[in-house]
Short mmCIF file of all heavy atoms in Angstrom, two decimals:
data_model
loop_
_atom_site.label_atom_id
_atom_site.label_comp_id
_atom_site.label_asym_id
_atom_site.label_seq_id
_atom_site.Cartn_x
_atom_site.Cartn_y
_atom_site.Cartn_z
N ILE A 171 54.73 -111.38 95.87
CA ILE A 171 55.75 -110.42 96.42
C ILE A 171 55.22 -109.08 96.33
O ILE A 171 55.39 -108.18 97.20
CB ILE A 171 57.09 -110.65 95.61
CG1 ILE A 171 57.68 -112.02 95.98
CG2 ILE A 171 58.09 -109.54 96.01
CD1 ILE A 171 58.90 -112.38 95.05
N ASN A 172 54.56 -108.67 95.16
CA ASN A 172 54.03 -107.34 94.96
C ASN A 172 52.99 -107.03 96.05
O ASN A 172 52.93 -105.93 96.58
CB ASN A 172 53.45 -107.18 93.60
CG ASN A 172 54.38 -106.61 92.63
OD1 ASN A 172 55.14 -105.71 92.93
ND2 ASN A 172 54.39 -107.16 91.38
N LYS A 173 52.14 -107.97 96.42
CA LYS A 173 51.17 -107.77 97.47
C LYS A 173 51.81 -107.42 98.81
O LYS A 173 51.39 -106.54 99.54
CB LYS A 173 50.22 -108.98 97.67
CG LYS A 173 49.26 -109.15 96.46
CD LYS A 173 48.43 -110.38 96.72
CE LYS A 173 47.57 -110.72 95.49
NZ LYS A 173 46.87 -112.00 95.61
N GLU A 174 52.90 -108.23 99.11
CA GLU A 174 53.54 -107.97 100.39
C GLU A 174 54.32 -106.67 100.40
O GLU A 174 54.52 -106.05 101.44
CB GLU A 174 54.50 -109.12 100.71
CG GLU A 174 53.72 -110.43 101.06
CD GLU A 174 54.58 -111.45 101.61
OE1 GLU A 174 55.43 -111.14 102.57
OE2 GLU A 174 54.51 -112.63 101.24
N PHE A 175 54.84 -106.21 99.24
CA PHE A 175 55.66 -105.01 99.21
C PHE A 175 54.74 -103.75 99.03
O PHE A 175 55.22 -102.57 99.02
CB PHE A 175 56.57 -105.06 97.98
CG PHE A 175 57.96 -105.54 98.34
CD1 PHE A 175 58.34 -106.82 98.05
CD2 PHE A 175 58.85 -104.68 98.92
CE1 PHE A 175 59.61 -107.26 98.40
CE2 PHE A 175 60.11 -105.14 99.29
CZ PHE A 175 60.52 -106.45 98.98
N GLN A 176 53.42 -103.91 98.85
CA GLN A 176 52.53 -102.84 98.57
C GLN A 176 52.60 -101.71 99.62
O GLN A 176 52.57 -100.52 99.23
CB GLN A 176 51.05 -103.29 98.39
CG GLN A 176 50.22 -102.39 97.63
CD GLN A 176 50.68 -102.16 96.19
OE1 GLN A 176 51.04 -103.10 95.56
NE2 GLN A 176 50.74 -100.97 95.77
N SER A 177 52.77 -102.10 100.83
CA SER A 177 52.86 -101.01 101.88
C SER A 177 54.12 -100.23 101.80
O SER A 177 54.22 -99.13 102.33
CB SER A 177 52.63 -101.70 103.22
OG SER A 177 53.66 -102.60 103.47
N PHE A 178 55.20 -100.77 101.26
CA PHE A 178 56.49 -100.13 101.12
C PHE A 178 56.64 -99.30 99.79
O PHE A 178 57.56 -98.46 99.75
CB PHE A 178 57.62 -101.14 101.15
CG PHE A 178 57.61 -101.98 102.43
CD1 PHE A 178 57.24 -103.25 102.45
CD2 PHE A 178 57.96 -101.35 103.66
CE1 PHE A 178 57.18 -104.03 103.61
CE2 PHE A 178 57.97 -102.11 104.85
CZ PHE A 178 57.57 -103.43 104.76
N LEU A 179 55.79 -99.62 98.84
CA LEU A 179 55.90 -98.90 97.52
C LEU A 179 54.94 -97.76 97.46
O LEU A 179 53.96 -97.64 98.16
CB LEU A 179 55.58 -99.89 96.41
CG LEU A 179 56.50 -101.10 96.28
CD1 LEU A 179 55.90 -102.06 95.28
CD2 LEU A 179 57.93 -100.69 95.89
N PRO A 180 55.31 -96.70 96.59
CA PRO A 180 54.39 -95.56 96.50
C PRO A 180 53.12 -96.00 95.71
O PRO A 180 53.07 -97.12 95.16
CB PRO A 180 55.17 -94.62 95.58
CG PRO A 180 56.25 -95.48 94.85
CD PRO A 180 56.52 -96.63 95.79
N PRO A 181 52.03 -95.22 95.80
CA PRO A 181 50.84 -95.61 95.13
C PRO A 181 51.01 -95.86 93.62
O PRO A 181 51.64 -95.17 92.92
CB PRO A 181 49.95 -94.40 95.28
CG PRO A 181 50.45 -93.67 96.44
CD PRO A 181 51.96 -93.91 96.51
N GLY A 182 50.57 -97.01 93.16
CA GLY A 182 50.70 -97.47 91.78
C GLY A 182 52.07 -98.11 91.54
O GLY A 182 52.26 -98.63 90.47
N GLY A 183 52.91 -98.24 92.55
CA GLY A 183 54.24 -98.84 92.35
C GLY A 183 54.10 -100.33 92.41
O GLY A 183 53.31 -100.85 93.10
N ARG A 184 55.00 -101.01 91.60
CA ARG A 184 54.97 -102.44 91.66
C ARG A 184 56.41 -102.99 91.21
O ARG A 184 57.17 -102.26 90.58
CB ARG A 184 53.83 -103.03 90.77
CG ARG A 184 53.95 -102.82 89.32
CD ARG A 184 52.80 -103.42 88.65
NE ARG A 184 52.97 -103.42 87.18
CZ ARG A 184 52.80 -102.40 86.36
NH1 ARG A 184 52.45 -101.24 86.86
NH2 ARG A 184 53.07 -102.54 85.08
N ILE A 185 56.61 -104.23 91.55
CA ILE A 185 57.81 -104.86 91.16
C ILE A 185 57.68 -105.46 89.74
O ILE A 185 56.67 -106.29 89.62
CB ILE A 185 58.28 -105.96 92.17
CG1 ILE A 185 58.52 -105.23 93.50
CG2 ILE A 185 59.49 -106.66 91.67
CD1 ILE A 185 58.79 -106.24 94.63
N LEU A 186 58.41 -105.12 88.81
CA LEU A 186 58.24 -105.62 87.44
C LEU A 186 59.11 -106.83 87.10
O LEU A 186 58.60 -107.73 86.47
CB LEU A 186 58.55 -104.50 86.46
CG LEU A 186 57.66 -103.23 86.54
CD1 LEU A 186 58.21 -102.16 85.58
CD2 LEU A 186 56.25 -103.54 86.21
N GLU A 187 60.28 -106.80 87.59
CA GLU A 187 61.21 -107.94 87.24
C GLU A 187 62.22 -108.12 88.47
O GLU A 187 62.42 -107.24 89.24
CB GLU A 187 61.93 -107.77 85.95
CG GLU A 187 62.90 -106.65 85.93
CD GLU A 187 63.60 -106.53 84.61
OE1 GLU A 187 64.22 -107.54 84.21
OE2 GLU A 187 63.70 -105.42 84.08
N ILE A 188 62.74 -109.35 88.44
CA ILE A 188 63.77 -109.69 89.45
C ILE A 188 65.08 -109.67 88.73
O ILE A 188 65.28 -110.33 87.74
CB ILE A 188 63.46 -111.02 90.09
CG1 ILE A 188 62.02 -111.17 90.65
CG2 ILE A 188 64.54 -111.40 91.08
CD1 ILE A 188 61.76 -110.29 91.94
N ARG A 189 66.04 -108.94 89.30
CA ARG A 189 67.41 -108.91 88.69
C ARG A 189 68.38 -109.25 89.83
O ARG A 189 68.17 -109.04 91.00
CB ARG A 189 67.77 -107.53 88.18
CG ARG A 189 67.12 -107.18 86.89
CD ARG A 189 67.69 -105.76 86.59
NE ARG A 189 67.35 -105.49 85.22
CZ ARG A 189 67.91 -104.55 84.55
NH1 ARG A 189 68.83 -103.81 85.08
NH2 ARG A 189 67.52 -104.31 83.28
N THR A 190 69.51 -109.82 89.35
CA THR A 190 70.65 -109.99 90.27
C THR A 190 71.84 -109.22 89.79
O THR A 190 71.99 -108.99 88.60
CB THR A 190 71.03 -111.50 90.43
OG1 THR A 190 71.34 -111.99 89.08
CG2 THR A 190 69.92 -112.30 91.03
N PRO A 191 72.62 -108.70 90.71
CA PRO A 191 73.76 -107.82 90.29
C PRO A 191 74.95 -108.66 89.79
O PRO A 191 74.94 -109.85 89.77
CB PRO A 191 74.14 -107.11 91.66
CG PRO A 191 73.76 -108.11 92.65
CD PRO A 191 72.50 -108.84 92.17
N GLU A 192 75.88 -107.93 89.29
CA GLU A 192 77.17 -108.48 88.84
C GLU A 192 78.00 -109.22 89.89
O GLU A 192 78.80 -109.95 89.56
CB GLU A 192 78.03 -107.45 88.13
CG GLU A 192 77.43 -106.87 86.87
CD GLU A 192 76.37 -105.82 87.14
OE1 GLU A 192 76.36 -105.09 88.21
OE2 GLU A 192 75.43 -105.67 86.31
N VAL A 193 77.79 -108.88 91.13
CA VAL A 193 78.51 -109.45 92.23
C VAL A 193 78.39 -111.02 92.20
O VAL A 193 79.32 -111.79 92.60
CB VAL A 193 78.17 -108.92 93.58
CG1 VAL A 193 76.82 -109.38 94.09
CG2 VAL A 193 79.28 -109.21 94.59
N VAL A 194 77.24 -111.55 91.74
CA VAL A 194 77.06 -113.00 91.74
C VAL A 194 78.04 -113.65 90.75
O VAL A 194 78.70 -114.66 91.06
CB VAL A 194 75.64 -113.37 91.23
CG1 VAL A 194 75.44 -114.80 91.06
CG2 VAL A 194 74.59 -112.82 92.26
N ALA A 195 78.37 -112.96 89.63
CA ALA A 195 79.33 -113.45 88.73
C ALA A 195 80.72 -113.42 89.36
O ALA A 195 81.55 -114.34 89.12
CB ALA A 195 79.38 -112.68 87.42
N SER A 196 81.06 -112.32 90.12
CA SER A 196 82.35 -112.25 90.67
C SER A 196 82.54 -113.26 91.76
O SER A 196 83.64 -113.80 92.01
CB SER A 196 82.67 -110.89 91.19
OG SER A 196 81.78 -110.53 92.25
N VAL A 197 81.47 -113.57 92.51
CA VAL A 197 81.53 -114.52 93.57
C VAL A 197 81.78 -115.95 92.93
O VAL A 197 82.57 -116.72 93.47
CB VAL A 197 80.26 -114.57 94.50
CG1 VAL A 197 80.27 -115.80 95.33
CG2 VAL A 197 80.13 -113.27 95.27
N LYS A 198 81.12 -116.21 91.84
CA LYS A 198 81.33 -117.53 91.19
C LYS A 198 82.70 -117.59 90.66
O LYS A 198 83.36 -118.68 90.68
CB LYS A 198 80.39 -117.65 90.03
CG LYS A 198 79.00 -118.04 90.51
CD LYS A 198 78.15 -118.43 89.38
CE LYS A 198 76.88 -119.02 89.81
NZ LYS A 198 76.83 -120.45 89.78
N LYS A 199 83.35 -116.51 90.13
CA LYS A 199 84.68 -116.52 89.67
C LYS A 199 85.64 -116.85 90.87
O LYS A 199 86.63 -117.49 90.72
CB LYS A 199 85.14 -115.20 89.03
CG LYS A 199 84.52 -114.99 87.67
CD LYS A 199 84.88 -113.65 87.12
CE LYS A 199 84.20 -113.44 85.77
NZ LYS A 199 84.44 -112.08 85.30
#
């Protein structure tokens, strides 16, 4: 994913972790 996003990120930028928002919990509720 980092390789594919490299053209969209600033120099030296990378994706460190994947998070999901709180909306997933509200959708499950």
Side-chain angles (χ1 to χ4, degrees):
I171 293 171
N172 267 319
K173 286 179 189 173
E174 290 193 46
F175 267 102
Q176 201 60 48
S177 61
F178 301 106
L179 298 173
R184 65 182 193 278
I185 298 172
L186 298 175
E187 67 177 308
I188 306 288
R189 285 184 168 195
T190 55
E192 294 77 29
V193 75
V194 175
S196 67
V197 168
K198 284 192 170 257
K199 285 179 187 173

